[in-house]
Each structure stands twice: as structure tokens, then as C-alpha cells.
Amino acid sequence: MRHLLSTKTITRDEAIALLDIAEDMADVAGREVKKLPTLRGKTVVNLFFEDSTRTRISFEAAAKRLSADVINFSAKGSSVSKGESLKDTAQTLSAMGADAVVIRHHASGAPLVLAQSGWIDAGIINAGDGTHEHPTQALLDAFTIRRRLHGTASRGKDLDGVTVTIVGDILHSRVARSNLWLLTTLGARVSFVAPPTLLPADTSAWPATFGFDLDTAIDAGPDVVMMLRIQAERMSASFFPSPREYARGWGLNDERFARLRADSIVMHPGPMNRGLEISSAAADSARSTVLEQVANGVSVRMAALYLLLSGDREDS
Amino acid sequence: MRHLLSTKTITRDEAIALLDIAEDMADVAGREVKKLPTLRGKTVVNLFFEDSTRTRISFEAAAKRLSADVINFSAKGSSVSKGESLKDTAQTLSAMGADAVVIRHHASGAPLVLAQSGWIDAGIINAGDGTHEHPTQALLDAFTIRRRLHGTASRGKDLDGVTVTIVGDILHSRVARSNLWLLTTLGARVSFVAPPTLLPADTSAWPATFGFDLDTAIDAGPDVVMMLRIQAERMSASFFPSPREYARGWGLNDERFARLRADSIVMHPGPMNRGLEISSAAADSARSTVLEQVANGVSVRMAALYLLLSGDREDS
Amino acid sequence: MRHLLSTKTITRDEAIALLDIAEDMADVAGREVKKLPTLRGKTVVNLFFEDSTRTRISFEAAAKRLSADVINFSAKGSSVSKGESLKDTAQTLSAMGADAVVIRHHASGAPLVLAQSGWIDAGIINAGDGTHEHPTQALLDAFTIRRRLHGTASRGKDLDGVTVTIVGDILHSRVARSNLWLLTTLGARVSFVAPPTLLPADTSAWPATFGFDLDTAIDAGPDVVMMLRIQAERMSASFFPSPREYARGWGLNDERFARLRADSIVMHPGPMNRGLEISSAAADSARSTVLEQVANGVSVRMAALYLLLSGDREDS
């Protein structure tokens, strides 16, 4: 794998291969010494144009567990904020010997530009670009679902026939998009539930079903309910009347959680707004995978870094 | 040792054991290669809700000298500032595989909450919580005093009969509190000197003597005089008329320093306000331990990380 | 080498020795595992009083490639901003065991003060001080010129007879000063071109020629044209009428670039203001060494850290 930019272009076999390597990486996490020498001498740069301590730390932990050197580059206060172009930043990191660049950017498509530009030799991992994609999030979500369904027998398996209901701000969510492509490729069936203001206007290219009513969706008994985070900046932008109104209509509150099929799993990419899109009872229940998602995030990112940085990177 | 939260609950034997390990760690600092492989594969997270470059760097140097991986997490600009709870932050760090969390927090008791909550498996080290405690500071102070008194014969010794006068903002000082408990446990006798506005209202539970007059305290010839830092925010809060007034009444100026017993040692946790609570002559004299305290801080933190992260952490 | 503070005091032989070691380091960059164990157990502190992500990352990459531990210390939000003196900061870092301190400071001379003070045992590297010097920049520039001229046969060579024209804000540029001393020592002939407002008032001590007209300088056919960055803060300080005016008079635009001798090389320390001091065609041409300078920066900084931290540091 040359870059990891999007889940849209990942084939079923590629996805399963990556998830299988992540299984191996998860095994390492259980050892006394969690460190592998695999990426010794490689340099991973975390190039973050948006703050995201959670995602940055997850990549940093993943890279260090593989013995790579990590350099954190926050675009704030750097020459980037002095008007340096993405091109010059990229070429500079390349010249310094970066082997992989993990980029989070407010502009959709920035990681793709970087990868296609020829400005940089490094492998590029998209760690979230605008409202476009967040592929490692989708991969860790798929990994988490597969493990819940198949346990230690997960290797080689896809998600054939699994029903996943994703609830919340679909319009702006890169998590929703990356999950849609990946889960569908793996054989799952995705449906989205949101207030009309938070669904895309044109969904003809989206292989999913759409609904406005969370109660109906809950009663349909999906295998997975994935609640998305409501960003604070949406609340003041009249996408919905008030946080209370949102929680009442589209939050996974205690009452809805009680009605959910007994073996459905509850997911959230974090950080959670407890009491808004999800109640504490739902978030902390045994059916919640919130913390498994965080742990699996490190394993999946180890797998991605491994695929980009070891062996023959020209493969795909 | 499971966590290091407070010096109040540390027994005399535990304290001496930790200080003795710190002696071993101090020996490492003298080697050509100062690195030990002891904590290879362990991850230490510095979770700082308050800025403190000094303390963060000391823990970072300690962890790296033991070959641990270090991840710095400043709560500013993180999802914490987006309203994420301490619980969710803690569970996230735990899920990512943090083995130890070094926490500095503006709220007294936050590290204890973290340790008792069950939210996190990691060992917790309190690096300063509100006006409550700063245990590694007290341990490095005790280590420094013991070394000045006993030199290379320090191992196994306590501070029986040593007299320590702590001067300054006792009311708000976590350093004063942590030192009181630890020094007393080790057999020292502590007295506090401060303007009445900077002493606690109720001192009945404090095993110390209290005074307002620094000159009297100096003339009593204590073994140790420890000057506390006056925080800038106190100066504008009318705890005392003016910095000049404070320096005149409670500063270790040249005149007082000259009157101090010839073999008394002078301590300060740093960073110093030279000319306010301490004169440069006092700070830079051979009797000052200010820099020894900094160096010993790394050794003591290495010992604490070692006790928390190696061997059987369930001991206490 | 004990410290690296200035290029003014470096002899021709010392400079060539450092550049030759940098050649060895550049060879390492081509290996599969780019890491050397040379500085294992050494601690390098990046002490930055001014933001400079580029320079900080270059030193961080250099130190990590030599297996040193790196601690980043941004003076913002630290006790430095609470009024701690440079002396106390330096002594603190020394006590914590820093082996080298890479310092960037807004005050000209701060690194020299640090090195001469006796406050700190560590080797000091000046990473830019006020309008004074930036020695590693000059060394990487000399390295880059030498490589362009002599390729793999560079070892042992100086820059005898090479003509270098440096264009831009000479008045405030530490890059210009460090290059002047080093290039002259290596046998090159330096001329400066700038608007009269951006040249020093007294240049009697500068072994260079001075001019106001870039076109004349271009037509003279220098071996090297080095364009300096115009800092944003100069633009609003009436050193020149407007950015457009500056670009017309002193920018290396496409027209001037076309007239430049066919084998002249074009240099820029970065980050570039494309369209202001340099056009994109000039910056991205095969004659531009902008990215080689970045790559060589890591090699030169590895060489500097190596000379300061390994073997007998008391040599000079």
C-alpha cells in the first residue's frame, strides 16, 4: 500500500488483509514488552492543521510501538501560519527524510493533493480531511465490529449481511463517509438516520438507506448502532432548534437504549457528548464498544503504518 | 506501589525504599550512557491540565532515561477543552495502552479520583493538584536533605530530628503540604513561617509549628530553610501590600542569609523570583540546594516510575 | 568542538572537518535504517524562545537519527514567560542532565551568554539569535554549494574563488551574517544586494561588496544567488514602499532568472514567499537548491551534534 487516503478505493481483499494485520498488532498489545523493532529508523511526521489530541496520540502510540521516530508538527505558529504553501511544507518534510506523513487538514482533499502531487516521497495517511474522509476511523470501526461478531476467529472474515445504522450529523461527517464505503465493501448494509438538515441534499451516489426517525430505526433491530458526535459549532448554526431538541429526537437515550435489540452493539468515535447524542448508560454498557474502538485504533494504525513503511511500498 | 498520589499515606519504610532506589538512579546519571532498558515498551503519558514545562520535562527526562515511550498531552486545544470529561480522557488513555499517567490538574483531588475510579489501569502519579499535594517534589526535597546530611552513606537513613523551616505562601502551597507529611513521617520537625494571610485558617490537623516572624525563625538556626515561590497571581490579590513589603518581611535577603546558621541549607522548589522570596546571594551560594533539587528530581521520578511500572504493581 | 555559536570564529580547517562529517551523515540518510547509535543516552533540548517549526524539526530529526533523546522546550507558557531568567532556565536544564541545548532566541548574543556563563555544562548550538547569527544555516549553505560544485568529490574541499550574491534584507538577517563569515573563511567572495534601507549603516567591518541594483548583480554572473526571506513584519515598517515594489526591484522574478548565467545556482533558506523575493519558476527549477538545503540541514546538524557530544568535547 502506497498511501491511505480514502476507503472508497480499498478492495475487499485489501481491507481484510489490513484488518488481519491489525489482529497481529493487537496481539502485541497484550505482551509484556509491547514494542516491535519493525519500523526502526523510519520517521513518521504528524502534520496537524486542525487540533486533535486523540487522533495524534493514537498515531504517535502506534508509530512508537513499531519503534519509528515521531515528529509532531502542529501547523499553528509554524511557517504554515506565515503563509507557506502546502507544497513547500510537504517538500520540506520530504527533504528532511519523512517516511510517512499523517495529515489532518480542514480542507477536503488535501491529503489526496499531497499524495498525487509528487511533492513528497513519503507515504500519506489521511487522518481526517474536511468533511471528506477519515479512513483509519472506518477501519477501526470495521475491526471492532468484526471482533465483536467473530472474536478470535475474525481473521479472513468480512461483514457480510451485518446491518449498521449510523445516526447524527451525516452531512458534515467524514466518519460517516469513510464508514459507508468500507462497510459496504465488506458486505454490510448501512442506513443513515438524521434530522433532514443534517443529511446531504443529493444522496443518489450513496449506497445506503436514509431515514429521519430514530425510533423506527431502533425498532428495526440493527446489529450495530453508531452514534456520531455533534460538533459544538453546529449547535449555534441552526441545523436543529437546540441541544435538548436534538437529544430528544436523535439521541441514544436510556429509553431507546432499553428498546434496542439485546445483542446490538453501540459505537461512538469519541469524544462523546454524554447526554446529547448518547446517554451515559448506553456509553458505559457492556454493549458499548467505545473503548474497544480506541484500543483498536492503535492496532489499526500500526497495521497502516506497517503496510506503508515496510517492504515494497510500490505495490499499490 | 500502585500509584503515587500523596505523601500522607506513604509509610516511613516505603519512603526510604523509594529514596534508596532514587540513589541507584542518581548513580546512572553519572555514567557515559545514562540510559537503562528497564521500562522499554512502556508508555508514559504526561497529562497536563496546567502548564508546567519544568515538571513535564523532568518526568519526560526520567521516563526516557528508563527507555519508556513518552506522549505529551496538553489539555489545551484538546477534546478536554471541548468539554470531554476526565473520565472519558482517562478511559481513552487507558484504552490506548498508557502504562502510567503523570497528571497535573488545577483541581485538588483529581489524581485521586482518577486512581480510585477504575476508569484506568495505568499507574497514576500526581504531578501537582490544586492546593493539595505534589508528592514527587517532597520526595526530591527529602532526598536532597538526606544527601546533604549523609552523602554517599544516605541509603537506609531517615531524617530523624532534622529541623525544617518552610517560608512563604503556605495557604496555597501543595509543596508545603506534601513536604509536611513526608518530612514528618521521616522524623523531621517542620515549622511554617508566613504572613497571617498566607497561613491556613485551621491548622489543628497539621503536625507543625507556625510563626509570622522570619527573623525569629532564622535565629533559631534550623537545619533547613525552604523558601516557597510567590505566584504572580497572589500579588494582585491583596494577600500582602506589595512585593517589596513581602520581600522585606518574608524574603531570604542577604542580611538574613548572613545571620543563618553556617551549616543550614537553603532550598527552593523553583522557579525562583530572585529579589522577592530569595536573594541571588542566597540562591547561588554553596549552601543552596536549588540545582541539586532539580537534578535529584529526575532521579526521584525515575524511582517512582520504576516502582509503578516494573514488577508486581499490585503490591500496594 | 565545545559549542557552535558563530561562524566568525570557525577556522577553515574546522569548517571543512565539519562539512566532511556531514558528508558521512548524508550517506546514512540513504540507508534502509537511517539510525546510528552514536548519541544513545544523550539528551538534546530544543530551547526555543521564538517559534520555528522548520528549524526545530530539523534538529529533532538530526538528534533522533543519532539515537539521542530529544526534549522540546517552547518558552511560551513556561516559567520563562513567568519571568524566570535565562540563567535559571539554563541551570535547570543542566541539572536535569541536558547534554546539548539548541537555542533560538530573539536577543542577539543570548547563546554566547549561555556558553560563556558557566551556568551550564551542555554544549550550546545557536539556532538563530536576533539579527546576529544562524551558524548551522550557513554551514548547510556552504555544504550545499560545495556539493553542487564537487559532487561526491567534495570531501576536503573549500569554496575558493566561488562568487556568492546574497539578496534581500541584509540589515536584519542572521543568515546573511553567518554566511558572510563562513563563506569568506572558505575562500568565497560575497556581495550583498538590497534596497538602501535594508543594508547596514556601517559596513566597514564586513568583508564584502555592496550594491543596490539586482540587475547589475545578475548580469555579473555569480556562481550562486542566495535570496533571503522578507519577514512579514518588515512589510508594514516602511523599509520599502510595498511588496510589489520590492518584488519588482529585488525579487528573483522569471525575467531575471532567465538572464542568470546558465550554471548559477539559486538558493533560499526557506520558507519562501513565492512571488515576492523569488518566483516559482526560479524556486522549482533544477538550478534551485532549496530542497537540497533542507535535506543537507539535517546532515549538517547531525555533524554538529556529533562534534559537540561525542568524544573529547574539551578540544576547542
Side-chain angles (χ1 to χ4, degrees):
Chain A
M1 192 180 275
R2 180 76 180 85
H3 302 294
L4 177 54
L5 304 170
S6 159
T7 57
K8 204 168 186 174
T9 52
I10 296 181
T11 66
R12 179 182 170 283
D13 287 352
E14 285 171 345
I16 291 174
L18 191 149
L19 298 183
D20 288 355
I21 293 172
E23 287 286 346
D24 298 337
M25 298 301 177
D27 289 346
V28 173
R31 293 194 207 159
E32 176 61 22
V33 173
K34 289 177 291 202
K35 207 146 177 158
L36 294 175
T38 319
L39 299 186
R40 198 162 170 281
K42 303 291 184 190
T43 299
V44 175
V45 176
N46 286 321
L47 177 61
F48 274 54
F49 291 81
E50 287 184 345
D51 279 332
S52 176
T53 303
R54 224 172 222 271
T55 304
R56 193 261 298 165
I57 285 181
S58 182
F59 274 106
E60 187 172 346
K64 287 182 171 170
R65 245 178 244 178
L66 293 169
S67 301
D69 288 321
V70 178
I71 291 181
N72 290 316
F73 182 145
S74 167
K76 293 187 177 171
S78 77
S79 43
V80 171
S81 64
K82 298 176 201 162
E84 190 183 44
S85 66
L86 183 59
K87 174 177 173 177
D88 285 329
T89 302
Q91 290 185 328
T92 298
L93 295 177
S94 189
M96 283 183 192
D99 296 291
V101 173
V102 176
I103 178 173
R104 164 158 296 203
H105 203 285
H106 40 83
S108 301
L112 182 66
V113 168
L114 216 56
Q116 294 187 334
S117 60
W119 299 331
I120 187 164
D121 290 330
I124 308 293
I125 297 183
N126 179 0
D129 61 328
T131 60
H132 178 232
E133 286 233 28
H134 190 357
T136 56
Q137 178 68 44
L139 285 159
L140 75 87
D141 290 336
F143 183 88
T144 303
I145 296 170
R146 197 174 74 157
R147 274 212 151 181
R148 277 277 173 142
L149 295 178
H150 301 293
T152 54
S154 290
R155 279 184 181 80
K157 298 249 174 38
D158 64 11
L159 301 178
D160 191 40
V162 175
T163 53
V164 181
T165 298
I166 302 180
V167 184
D169 182 2
I170 311 301
L171 178 61
H172 303 97
S173 174
R174 48 199 179 204
V175 176
R177 282 165 182 75
S178 284
N179 263 303
L180 174 61
W181 312 126
L182 182 66
L183 295 177
T184 304
T185 295
L186 288 170
R189 291 198 307 274
V190 175
S191 52
F192 291 115
V193 175
T197 49
L198 291 175
L199 282 176
D202 177 8
T203 57
S204 56
W206 295 40
T209 59
F210 294 84
F212 305 141
D213 187 52
L214 181 54
D215 290 304
T216 306
I218 293 284
D219 292 339
D223 297 311
V224 177
V225 177
M226 185 185 296
M227 307 307 297
L228 300 178
R229 173 178 174 81
I230 290 293
Q231 303 291 340
E233 60 266 33
R234 307 294 172 227
M235 297 189 201
S236 51
S238 59
F239 289 102
F240 45 86
S242 72
R244 179 177 300 197
E245 206 81 13
Y246 182 88
R248 189 154 51 196
W250 294 275
L252 185 61
N253 55 27
D254 292 352
E255 189 268 325
R256 288 191 181 107
F257 180 59
R259 275 180 21 236
L260 192 61
R261 218 182 75 199
D263 60 345
S264 296
I265 68 171
V266 173
M267 306 185 77
H268 190 294
M272 296 180 284
N273 295 302
R274 288 164 179 266
L276 181 54
E277 72 260 4
I278 192 167
S279 74
S280 278
D284 300 334
S285 77
R287 287 191 269 162
S288 162
T289 62
V290 171
L291 297 176
E292 289 160 49
Q293 288 169 272
V294 174
N296 294 339
V298 178
S299 302
V300 159
R301 286 164 183 135
M302 289 172 77
L305 288 168
Y306 173 82
L307 283 171
L308 261 67
L309 294 186
S310 68
D312 184 5
R313 278 178 47 207
E314 305 310 307
D315 279 349
S316 70
Chain B
M1 193 180 274
R2 180 77 181 84
H3 303 293
L4 178 53
L5 303 169
S6 159
T7 57
K8 204 168 186 174
T9 52
I10 296 181
T11 66
R12 179 182 169 284
D13 287 352
E14 284 171 344
I16 290 174
L18 191 148
L19 298 183
D20 288 354
I21 293 173
E23 288 286 346
D24 299 336
M25 297 301 176
D27 290 346
V28 173
R31 292 194 207 160
E32 175 63 20
V33 173
K34 289 177 289 203
K35 209 148 175 155
L36 294 175
T38 320
L39 299 187
R40 197 161 172 283
K42 302 292 184 190
T43 299
V44 175
V45 176
N46 285 322
L47 176 61
F48 274 54
F49 291 81
E50 287 184 346
D51 280 332
S52 175
T53 303
R54 223 170 223 270
T55 305
R56 192 261 298 165
I57 285 181
S58 182
F59 274 106
E60 188 172 345
K64 286 181 171 172
R65 245 178 243 178
L66 293 169
S67 301
D69 288 320
V70 178
I71 291 180
N72 290 315
F73 183 145
S74 168
K76 292 185 177 173
S78 76
S79 44
V80 171
S81 63
K82 298 177 201 162
E84 190 184 45
S85 66
L86 185 60
K87 173 177 175 177
D88 285 328
T89 302
Q91 289 185 328
T92 298
L93 296 177
S94 190
M96 283 184 191
D99 296 291
V101 173
V102 176
I103 178 173
R104 166 158 294 203
H105 203 285
H106 42 81
S108 300
L112 182 66
V113 168
L114 215 55
Q116 294 186 334
S117 60
W119 299 331
I120 188 162
D121 290 330
I124 308 294
I125 296 185
N126 179 0
D129 62 328
T131 59
H132 178 233
E133 286 232 26
H134 190 357
T136 56
Q137 178 69 45
L139 285 159
L140 75 88
D141 289 336
F143 184 88
T144 303
I145 297 168
R146 197 174 75 157
R147 274 210 152 182
R148 277 276 174 144
L149 295 179
H150 300 293
T152 53
S154 290
R155 280 184 181 78
K157 298 251 176 34
D158 65 12
L159 302 179
D160 190 39
V162 176
T163 52
V164 181
T165 298
I166 303 179
V167 184
D169 182 2
I170 312 301
L171 179 60
H172 303 96
S173 176
R174 49 200 179 203
V175 175
R177 282 165 181 74
S178 284
N179 263 304
L180 174 60
W181 312 126
L182 181 67
L183 296 176
T184 304
T185 296
L186 288 171
R189 292 197 306 274
V190 175
S191 51
F192 291 115
V193 175
T197 50
L198 291 175
L199 283 175
D202 178 7
T203 57
S204 56
W206 295 41
T209 59
F210 293 85
F212 304 141
D213 186 52
L214 181 53
D215 291 304
T216 306
I218 292 285
D219 292 338
D223 298 309
V224 178
V225 177
M226 185 185 296
M227 307 307 296
L228 300 179
R229 174 179 174 81
I230 290 293
Q231 303 291 338
E233 60 266 33
R234 307 295 172 226
M235 297 188 200
S236 51
S238 59
F239 288 102
F240 44 87
S242 71
R244 178 176 302 197
E245 207 80 14
Y246 182 86
R248 189 154 51 197
W250 294 278
L252 185 60
N253 55 27
D254 292 352
E255 189 269 324
R256 287 192 181 105
F257 179 59
R259 276 184 17 240
L260 192 61
R261 218 183 75 201
D263 60 344
S264 296
I265 67 171
V266 173
M267 306 185 77
H268 191 295
M272 296 180 284
N273 294 303
R274 288 165 180 265
L276 181 53
E277 71 260 5
I278 192 167
S279 74
S280 278
D284 299 335
S285 77
R287 287 192 269 160
S288 162
T289 61
V290 171
L291 296 177
E292 289 161 48
Q293 288 169 272
V294 174
N296 294 339
V298 178
S299 301
V300 159
R301 285 164 184 136
M302 288 172 77
L305 288 168
Y306 173 81
L307 283 171
L308 261 67
L309 294 186
S310 69
D312 184 5
R313 279 178 44 208
E314 306 310 308
D315 280 347
S316 69
Chain C
M1 193 179 275
R2 180 77 180 84
H3 303 293
L4 177 54
L5 304 170
S6 158
T7 57
K8 203 168 187 175
T9 52
I10 296 181
T11 65
R12 179 182 170 284
D13 288 352
E14 285 171 343
I16 290 174
L18 191 148
L19 298 184
D20 288 354
I21 293 172
E23 288 286 347
D24 299 337
M25 298 301 177
D27 289 346
V28 174
R31 294 193 205 160
E32 177 62 20
V33 173
K34 289 177 291 203
K35 209 148 175 155
L36 294 176
T38 320
L39 299 187
R40 197 162 172 280
K42 303 292 186 190
T43 299
V44 175
V45 175
N46 286 322
L47 177 61
F48 275 53
F49 291 82
E50 287 183 345
D51 279 331
S52 175
T53 304
R54 224 169 222 271
T55 304
R56 193 261 298 164
I57 285 181
S58 182
F59 274 106
E60 187 172 346
K64 286 182 172 172
R65 244 178 243 178
L66 293 169
S67 301
D69 288 321
V70 178
I71 291 181
N72 291 314
F73 182 145
S74 168
K76 293 186 177 172
S78 77
S79 45
V80 171
S81 63
K82 297 177 201 162
E84 190 184 43
S85 66
L86 184 59
K87 174 176 174 177
D88 285 328
T89 302
Q91 290 185 328
T92 298
L93 295 178
S94 190
M96 282 184 192
D99 296 290
V101 173
V102 175
I103 179 173
R104 165 158 294 203
H105 202 285
H106 41 82
S108 300
L112 182 67
V113 168
L114 215 56
Q116 294 187 335
S117 61
W119 298 332
I120 187 163
D121 290 330
I124 308 294
I125 297 183
N126 179 0
D129 62 327
T131 59
H132 179 233
E133 286 232 28
H134 190 358
T136 56
Q137 178 70 44
L139 285 159
L140 75 88
D141 289 336
F143 183 88
T144 302
I145 297 169
R146 196 174 75 157
R147 274 211 151 182
R148 277 276 174 143
L149 295 179
H150 301 292
T152 54
S154 290
R155 279 184 182 79
K157 298 250 175 36
D158 64 11
L159 301 178
D160 191 39
V162 175
T163 53
V164 181
T165 298
I166 303 179
V167 184
D169 182 2
I170 311 301
L171 179 59
H172 303 97
S173 176
R174 48 200 178 203
V175 176
R177 282 165 181 75
S178 284
N179 263 303
L180 174 61
W181 312 126
L182 181 67
L183 295 176
T184 304
T185 296
L186 288 170
R189 293 198 306 275
V190 175
S191 51
F192 291 115
V193 176
T197 50
L198 291 174
L199 283 175
D202 177 7
T203 57
S204 57
W206 296 41
T209 58
F210 293 84
F212 304 141
D213 187 52
L214 181 54
D215 290 304
T216 305
I218 293 284
D219 292 338
D223 297 311
V224 178
V225 178
M226 185 185 297
M227 307 307 297
L228 300 178
R229 174 180 174 80
I230 290 293
Q231 303 291 339
E233 60 266 33
R234 307 294 173 228
M235 298 189 201
S236 51
S238 59
F239 288 102
F240 44 87
S242 72
R244 179 176 302 197
E245 207 81 14
Y246 182 86
R248 189 154 51 198
W250 294 276
L252 185 60
N253 54 28
D254 291 351
E255 188 269 325
R256 287 191 181 108
F257 179 60
R259 275 183 19 238
L260 192 61
R261 219 182 74 200
D263 60 344
S264 295
I265 68 171
V266 173
M267 306 185 76
H268 191 294
M272 297 181 283
N273 295 302
R274 288 164 178 265
L276 181 54
E277 71 261 4
I278 191 167
S279 73
S280 278
D284 299 335
S285 77
R287 288 191 269 160
S288 162
T289 61
V290 171
L291 296 176
E292 290 161 46
Q293 288 169 272
V294 173
N296 294 339
V298 178
S299 302
V300 159
R301 286 164 183 135
M302 289 172 77
L305 288 167
Y306 173 82
L307 283 171
L308 261 66
L309 294 186
S310 69
D312 184 5
R313 278 179 47 208
E314 305 310 307
D315 280 348
S316 70

